[in-house]
C-alpha cells in the first residue's frame, strides 16, 4: 500500500523521500517513483522498525534532502497469524515492539519535527483489527488498537498547533503482507485504497477506513454483544 | 510548492522458510484446476530462490503456469512491478517482470510511447509476455514481443542470477523467449518501446460474407495496416462457414485524434461462475449471428479507444466465468497457407463436422518466425477458438484438430493449450530437441517445471 500511495504522489509531482530496511530495494523504488513523475530526485535512507536507533538519523536525512517535509506516512508494520504469535514468544515480542512501541517512538520523533516547523500531516496505517478484540487477531489487533488511541490523542492535543493526524484503517487489502491469506469478500486493491488514503491526507481526515465499506462492517462488529463475539470466529 | 513527503515502507517480511498454504490454482480457462503453493512478494529475487515455476497474472489458458506437483513452490510475480530504467531518447525501458501491460500502458501512453507488441488482454505481465513470446494484431509487421526484448535478468535453476541478451548467453536468451518460463525465473525485462503519434486508434472494419473473401481482404489489409484481425463465425454450414468481420487499425495522427487523452475504461465484472449450461450451443449461434449482422454491410471508419481496439474482452472482468465451473480451453494453431490455400477452409470444415460449439473464433495472419527458440507464430494463418471443456469429448476434438495441424505443417500455442498430447506436440515442433538441449545445459536436474512441461515435454512428474 505504501508503494501504491507513493506512486500516486509521484504521478502528481510531489517531492518524496523513502525510508525502509533494504537500501538496494529502496534505490529501485526511488527510480520507479522518479520515472513516474516525482519532482527532483527521490532520496532514501535505511530505517528499521526493529532498530529504533535508526529513526532519528533517517528523519534527519529526509529533512535535509527535502529541506523540511510537510507529511510523514508510516505504512511499515509486521504481520503474523494469531496461531504463530501464540506459539512463538520471540515473534510475539518482535511484532508487539515493532507495531506498537517502536512505531510510536518513530511517530514521536516525526511529530516533534512537524511541530517545530509549524505543523504538517502525520499519516499512520493502523488496521480494522484494532477496532475490537477478535479471536483471529488478538495480539496484532491489540497493538493496532494502542496505536489508534495514540494517534487520536495526538489529534486532540496538537491539532490546534497545526498537526494533522490521519489514521488509516485498512480492512483486507491484497498486498504482500496478506499474500498467504485467502482474500475475504470486500478485499481491496492497493491502488484504490491508496487513492482513498491520499484524499484523506489532502483533506486531513483524522480517520479513514479503506475500502470504505469496512467502516460499516466494523460498526456492526463493535455493536455485537460479547456473548456473540465468543461464539463467532470473525 | 509541491508537498514533500517521507514514507517508510517495507513491512517485515515472513521468514524465508515459510510455506504458503495449499490452494486451488488454475489458468484463465479454469481447466485444469490443481492444488499449489503460491508465494507472492515485492522481492522477486527472494521468492524465486526456492520456486520451481513463476506465474504472473494467470492468463495462460491451460496449465502453462500451474505447478507440476502441489508442493512445487510457485513464485507469483505481480507485486514486483517497478520501472527500473528508461531512456526517453531511445524509448528503451527496463522493468520488473510483474509489471502488467495495463500499468505499462497507463504510464507510457501519456508520454507518447506504446509497447511494440501487445496481446489481446492488458492483464498480462512482462514476464508472461516473454515466456509465451506473445504476438498481437501487428504480428505481420512487428513480429513477436521477443523481437523487441533487448535483455533479460533470469534466476536460473542453480540459483545464479544471469543477465542475457543477443550478446551475452544468446542461447539462453533465445530459449527463454517463448520458453514458457522453463529456462529460468524471469526477474527483469528490458525492451524497446515504440513512439506513437497519439494515444488514439484510427480504425476501419468491414463485413465479409465468406472465408475466401475474408482471407483475401486480410492479406491485402496486412500490406496497408499495422494492426489487423478477423472475427470469424464458424457455426454456419458451408458456404457461409467462415464469414466474419475484418478489423484494421493504426495509430491516429495528432490532427485526427481527439484533443483529450482516452479515459481508462470502466469494467464490469462477472461476479461468480455461471451454470455450465449458460453458453448453450444455440446461444453461441445467436451471438455469432448477431455479431455478424450488427456490423452492417458498409465499411465503418473512425476513431477508436485504444482499450476497445486492443482489449475488447477486458471490459468484462472475469469473463471466463461465463463458461461455468467446468471451464473452457482456447485452441490456437497457426496453419501455413501459402502452398495450399484450401487449408484454412478445410480446418473450419473439420471443426464444423465435429459439431464444435465455438463461441469466439479469431483469425490472424502471421509473419515471419521470431527469434524465440520455441516461439509460436510462423508464416500462415492463425485461428484461436474458445471451446467449452466437456471431458473426453474435448480431448477427442483436440486430438482431431492436432492431427490436421500436424498434416498441414502447423503448430499449437502453448500459452493456450491444455489438451495436446506430448507425442503430437513433438510431431509439430521440430525445434523441440534444440530447446530441450538448452534446458538440460542450464537445468540438468529438472528443477524448473510446470504441469504443462510434464504433460507436453515429458518432464518427470
Amino acid at each position: 500500500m505504501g508503494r501504491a500511495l507513493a506512486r500516486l504522489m509521484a504521478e502528481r509531482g510531489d517531492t518524496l523521500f523513502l525510508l525502509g530496511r533494504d537500501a538496494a530495494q529502496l534505490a529501485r523504488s526511488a527510480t520507479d517513483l522518479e520515472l513516474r513523475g516525482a519532482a527532483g530526485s527521490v532520496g532514501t535512507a535505511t530505517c528499521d522498525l526493529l532498530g529504533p536507533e535508526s529513526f532519528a538519523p533517517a528523519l534527519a536525512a529526509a529533512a535535509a534532502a527535502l529541506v523540511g517535509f510537510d507529511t510523514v506516512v508510516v505504512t511499515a508494520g509486521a504481520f503474523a497469524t494469531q496461531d504463530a504469535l501464540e506459539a512463538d514468544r520471540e515473534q510475539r515480542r518482535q511484532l508487539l515492539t515493532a507495531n506498537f512501541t517502536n512505531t510510536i517512538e518513530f511517530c514521536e520523533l516525526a511529530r516533534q519535527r512537524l511541530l517545530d516547523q509549524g505543523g504538517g500531516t502525520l499519516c499512520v496505517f493502523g488496521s480494522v483489527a484494532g477496532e475490537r478484540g477478535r479471536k483471529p487477531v488478538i495480539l496484532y489487533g491489540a497493538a493496532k488498537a494502542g496505536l489508534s488511541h495514540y494517534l487520536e490523542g495526538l489529534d486532540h492535543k496538537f491539532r490546534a498547533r497545526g498537526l494533522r493526524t490521519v489514521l488509516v484503517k485498512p480492512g483486507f487489502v491484497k498486498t504482500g503482507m496478506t499474500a498467504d491469506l485467502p482474500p475475504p469478500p470486500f478485499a481491496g486493491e492497493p491502488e484504490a485504497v491508496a487513492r482513498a488514503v491520499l484524499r484523506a491526507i489532502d483533506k486531513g481526515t483524522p480517520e479513514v477506513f479503506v475500502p470504505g465499506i469496512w467502516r460499516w462492517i466494523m460498526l456492526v462488529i463493535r455493536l455485537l454483544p460479547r456473548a456473540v463475539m465468543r461464539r463467532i470466529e470473525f | 510548492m509541491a508537498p514533500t513527503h517521507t514514507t517508510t515502507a517495507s513491512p517485515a517480511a515472513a521468514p524465508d522458510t515459510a510455506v504458503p498454504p495449499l490452494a486451488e490454482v488454475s489458468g484463465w480457462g479454469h481447466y485444469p484446476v490443481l492444488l499449489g503453493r503460491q508465494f507472492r512478494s515485492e522481492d522477486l529475487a527472494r521468492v524465486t530462490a526456492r520456486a520451481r515455476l513463476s506465474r504472473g497474472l494467470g492468463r495462460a489458458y491451460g496449465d502453462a503456469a500451474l505447478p507440476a506437483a502441489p508442493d512445487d513452490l510457485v513464485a507469483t510475480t505481480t507485486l514486483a512491478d517497478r520501472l527500473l530504467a528508461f531512456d526517453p531518447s531511445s524509448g528503451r525501458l527496463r522493468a520488473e517482470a510483474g509489471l502488467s501491460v495495463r500499468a505499462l500502458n497507463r504510464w507510457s501512453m501519456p508520454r507518447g510511447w506504446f509497447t511494440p507488441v501487445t496481446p489481446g488482454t492488458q492483464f498480462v505481465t512482462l514476464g508472461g509476455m516473454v515466456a509465451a513470446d506473445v504476438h498481437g494484431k501487428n504480428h505481420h509487421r512487428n513480429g513477436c514481443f521477443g523481437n523487441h526484448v533487448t535483455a533479460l535478468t533470469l534466476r536460473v535453476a542453480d540459483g545464479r542470477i544471469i543477465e542475457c541478451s543477443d550478446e551475452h548467453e544468446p542461447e539462453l536468451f533465445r530459449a527463454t523467449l517463448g520458453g514458457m518460463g522453463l529456462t529460468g525465473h524471469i526477474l527483469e525485462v528490458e525492451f524497446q518501446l515504440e513512439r506513437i503519434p497519439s494515444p488514439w486508434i484510427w480504425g476501419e472494419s468491414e463485413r465479409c460474407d465468406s472465408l475466401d473473401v475474408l482471407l483475401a481482404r486480410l492479406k491485402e489489409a496486412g500490406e496497408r495496416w499495422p494492426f489487423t484481425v478477423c472475427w470469424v463465425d464458424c457455426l454456419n454450414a458451408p458456404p457461409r462457414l467462415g464469414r466474419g468481420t475484418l478489423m484494421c487499425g493504426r495509430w491516429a495522427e495528432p490532427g485526427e485524434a481527439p484533443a483529450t487523452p482516452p479515459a481508462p475504461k470502466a469494467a464490469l465484472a462477472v461476479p461468480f461462475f455461471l451454470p455450465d449450461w449458460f453458453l448453450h450451443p444455440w446461444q453461441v449461434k445467436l451471438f455469432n449471428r448477431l455479431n455478424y449482422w450488427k456490423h452492417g454491410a458498409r465499411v465503418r471508419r473512425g476513431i477508436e479507444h485504444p482499450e476497445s481496439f486492443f482489449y475488447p474482452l477486458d471490459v468484462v472482468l472475469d469473463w471466463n466465468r461465463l463458461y461455468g465451473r467446468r471451464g473452457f480451453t482456447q485452441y490456437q494453431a497457426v496453419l501455413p497457407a501459402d502452398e495450399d490455400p484450401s487449408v484454412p477452409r478445410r480446418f473450419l470444415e473439420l471443426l464444423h463436422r465435429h459439431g464444435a460449439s465455438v463461441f469466439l473464433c479469431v483469425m490472424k495472419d502471421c509473419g515471419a518466425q521470431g527469434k524465440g527458440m520455441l516461439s509460436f507464430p510462423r508464416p500462415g494463418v492463425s485461428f484461436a477458438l474458445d471451446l467449452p471443456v466437456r471431458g473426453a469429448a474435448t480431448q477427442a476434438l483436440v486430438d482431431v484438430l492436432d492431427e490436421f495441424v500436424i498434416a498441414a505443417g502447423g503448430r499449437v500455442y502453448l500459452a493456450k493449450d491444455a489438451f495436446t498430447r506430448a507425442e503430437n506436440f513433438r510431431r509439430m515442433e521440430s525445434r523441440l530437441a534444440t530447446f530441450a538441449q538448452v534446458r538440460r545445459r542450464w537445468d540438468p536436474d529438472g528443477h524448473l517445471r510446470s504441469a504443462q512441461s510434464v504433460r507436453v515435454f515429458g518432464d518427470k512428474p
Side-chain angles (χ1 to χ4, degrees):
Chain A
M1 282 186 282
R3 181 179 288 182
L5 182 59
R7 283 179 178 172
L8 290 183
M9 291 171 166
E11 277 159 19
R12 66 181 196 184
D14 289 356
T15 314
L16 298 164
F17 192 91
L18 301 179
L19 307 182
R21 288 181 302 170
D22 183 331
Q25 291 294 328
L26 285 173
R28 287 161 77 95
S29 294
T31 309
D32 178 66
L33 295 171
E34 284 164 6
L35 290 173
R36 286 169 195 272
S41 73
V42 176
T44 66
T46 52
C47 183
D48 185 351
L49 270 185
L50 287 173
E53 68 286 349
S54 65
F55 298 169
L59 281 166
L66 297 171
V67 200
F69 45 76
D70 60 11
T71 304
V72 178
V73 183
V74 185
T75 62
F79 180 79
T81 61
Q82 179 64 19
D83 288 345
L85 292 172
E86 282 175 14
D88 185 341
R89 184 177 171 187
E90 181 52 25
Q91 198 181 354
R92 186 163 67 230
R93 193 191 61 76
Q94 276 197 7
L95 181 130
L96 293 175
T97 309
N99 288 7
F100 181 72
T101 315
N102 289 357
T103 299
I104 288 179
E105 181 56 25
F106 181 86
C107 289
E108 279 296 291
L109 298 177
R111 169 187 69 78
Q112 283 156 17
R113 277 193 177 271
L114 288 170
L115 285 173
D116 286 349
Q117 59 186 44
T121 304
L122 176 60
C123 171
V124 182
F125 277 57
S127 168
V128 296
E131 290 295 281
R132 184 154 195 197
R134 292 194 285 119
K135 289 178 190 175
V137 284
I138 299 171
L139 288 154
Y140 177 78
K144 291 294 189 185
L147 191 59
S148 169
H149 272 233
Y150 163 73
L151 229 66
E152 187 183 350
L154 287 189
D155 179 48
H156 296 163
K157 183 167 180 189
F158 295 111
R159 195 160 183 100
R161 286 173 52 193
L163 182 74
R164 305 200 299 177
T165 60
V166 177
L167 177 60
V168 183
K169 292 182 174 172
F172 194 99
V173 182
K174 296 175 194 162
T175 64
M177 191 174 95
T178 58
D180 292 349
L181 307 172
F186 312 118
E189 295 291 342
E191 203 184 301
V193 165
R195 265 195 295 276
V197 173
L198 189 57
R199 239 186 345 262
I201 290 174
D202 289 344
K203 286 202 272 184
T205 316
E207 179 185 84
V208 57
F209 285 84
V210 286
I213 183 143
W214 284 89
R215 171 179 296 280
W216 311 112
I217 296 173
M218 292 322 292
L219 178 67
V220 172
I221 295 295
R222 277 198 305 273
L223 292 174
L224 289 177
R226 262 173 201 272
V228 175
M229 288 302 284
R230 288 194 191 113
R231 281 179 179 80
I232 62 172
E233 293 304 314
F234 186 78
Chain B
M1 193 194 112
T4 53
H5 303 275
T6 168
T7 312
T8 81
S10 75
D16 262 335
T17 50
V19 176
L22 264 186
E24 282 191 348
V25 53
S26 66
W28 184 241
H30 206 250
Y31 180 90
V33 180
L34 304 175
L35 286 174
R37 298 184 190 275
Q38 288 190 63
F39 210 14
R40 233 158 54 113
S41 158
E42 281 88 355
D43 187 351
L44 261 197
R46 188 170 69 86
V47 286
T48 53
R50 290 183 301 145
R52 300 185 72 169
L53 179 69
S54 281
R55 174 182 166 96
L57 283 158
R59 278 289 168 136
Y61 283 65
D63 50 3
L66 303 185
D71 286 327
D72 285 10
L73 278 189
V74 178
T76 297
T77 63
T78 50
L79 292 173
D81 62 347
R82 285 176 290 195
L83 306 171
L84 299 173
F86 179 63
D87 177 356
S89 60
S90 69
R92 190 166 291 190
L93 177 72
R94 175 178 277 265
E96 289 177 323
L99 182 73
S100 71
V101 167
R102 182 168 180 268
L104 170 68
N105 290 348
R106 286 183 184 186
W107 175 80
S108 74
M109 290 175 83
R111 291 168 170 81
W113 298 93
F114 196 72
T115 174
V117 170
T118 177
T121 171
Q122 43 186 339
F123 298 109
V124 292
T125 61
L126 292 181
M129 300 227 292
V130 171
D133 199 12
V134 295
H135 59 278
K137 295 180 163 103
N138 58 355
H139 187 266
H140 58 283
R141 194 156 296 186
N142 275 10
C144 289
F145 184 66
N147 292 12
H148 309 271
V149 173
T150 47
L152 294 170
T153 307
L154 298 182
R155 179 190 281 283
V156 290
D158 64 12
R160 276 181 299 156
I161 290 181
I162 287 189
E163 180 81 9
C164 64
S165 63
D166 275 332
E167 290 74 42
H168 194 248
E169 300 293 358
E171 197 185 56
L172 178 66
F173 182 60
R174 291 204 313 114
T176 303
L177 304 175
M180 304 314 286
L182 298 168
T183 54
H185 296 282
I186 299 164
L187 307 182
E188 293 173 15
V189 180
E190 185 190 274
F191 64 108
Q192 185 65 45
L193 291 171
E194 203 170 72
R195 267 266 175 230
I196 50 173
S198 83
W200 291 90
I201 292 288
W202 176 266
E204 193 175 294
S205 67
E206 64 181 292
R207 203 171 78 180
C208 300
D209 61 4
S210 78
L211 181 66
D212 290 340
V213 178
L214 196 57
L215 276 167
R217 297 289 298 133
L218 174 64
K219 208 173 168 65
E220 280 167 38
E223 283 155 26
R224 290 180 294 123
W225 296 89
F227 302 109
T228 59
V229 69
C230 299
W231 161 81
V232 183
D233 178 355
C234 21
L235 291 168
N236 285 294
R240 286 193 296 182
L241 175 68
R243 65 184 186 179
T245 316
L246 166 69
M247 287 156 277
C248 308
R250 60 171 168 78
W251 291 104
E253 292 303 323
E256 304 165 321
T260 50
K265 285 256 170 186
L268 293 167
V270 180
F272 47 80
F273 282 95
L274 288 162
D276 291 328
W277 47 258
F278 180 74
L279 288 183
H280 194 268
W282 68 260
Q283 282 165 308
V284 173
K285 203 160 189 163
L286 185 69
F287 167 83
N288 277 274
R289 288 247 160 111
L290 287 175
N291 211 5
Y292 180 77
W293 289 111
K294 89 167 192 241
H295 185 277
R298 65 191 177 79
V299 174
R300 295 186 180 202
R301 295 187 175 86
I303 289 291
E304 284 187 53
H305 193 293
E307 287 183 28
S308 333
F309 183 76
F310 290 115
Y311 317 112
L313 296 176
D314 283 356
V315 295
V316 185
L317 297 176
D318 300 321
W319 61 263
N320 53 347
R321 292 177 174 170
L322 295 175
Y323 283 89
R325 289 201 175 272
R326 280 198 276 178
F328 73 109
T329 185
Q330 188 174 86
Y331 188 85
Q332 183 168 2
V334 57
L335 301 164
D338 278 351
E339 281 170 34
D340 181 356
S342 73
V343 166
R345 186 174 44 76
R346 288 193 287 119
F347 180 73
L348 290 190
E349 284 168 2
L350 179 71
L351 202 61
H352 189 254
R353 269 206 304 284
H354 283 81
S357 173
V358 179
F359 186 61
L360 201 64
C361 172
V362 172
M363 180 173 79
K364 266 220 41 63
D365 61 337
C366 287
Q369 187 163 296
K371 67 181 171 190
M373 206 171 271
L374 218 54
S375 158
F376 160 71
R378 51 149 296 149
V381 179
S382 145
F383 284 98
L385 327 156
D386 285 1
L387 302 165
V389 171
R390 292 295 177 261
T394 308
Q395 180 68 58
L397 177 62
V398 170
D399 288 345
V400 167
L401 296 177
D402 279 348
E403 283 303 331
F404 183 94
V405 171
I406 293 164
R411 58 172 83 117
V412 296
Y413 191 9
L414 290 175
K416 311 288 179 76
D417 183 62
F419 288 93
T420 294
R421 296 174 194 275
E423 65 268 25
N424 284 344
F425 190 73
R426 260 198 304 277
R427 287 161 70 202
M428 292 170 195
E429 197 45 90
S430 57
R431 305 170 297 176
L432 200 53
T434 326
F435 178 71
Q437 244 171 34
V438 180
R439 270 186 85 199
R440 265 199 303 279
R441 185 164 314 141
W442 289 93
D443 184 10
D445 304 326
H447 175 67
L448 299 167
R449 61 178 193 172
S450 64
Q452 186 173 66
S453 80
V454 170
R455 176 174 62 86
V456 177
F457 298 151
D459 286 2
K460 274 194 246 72

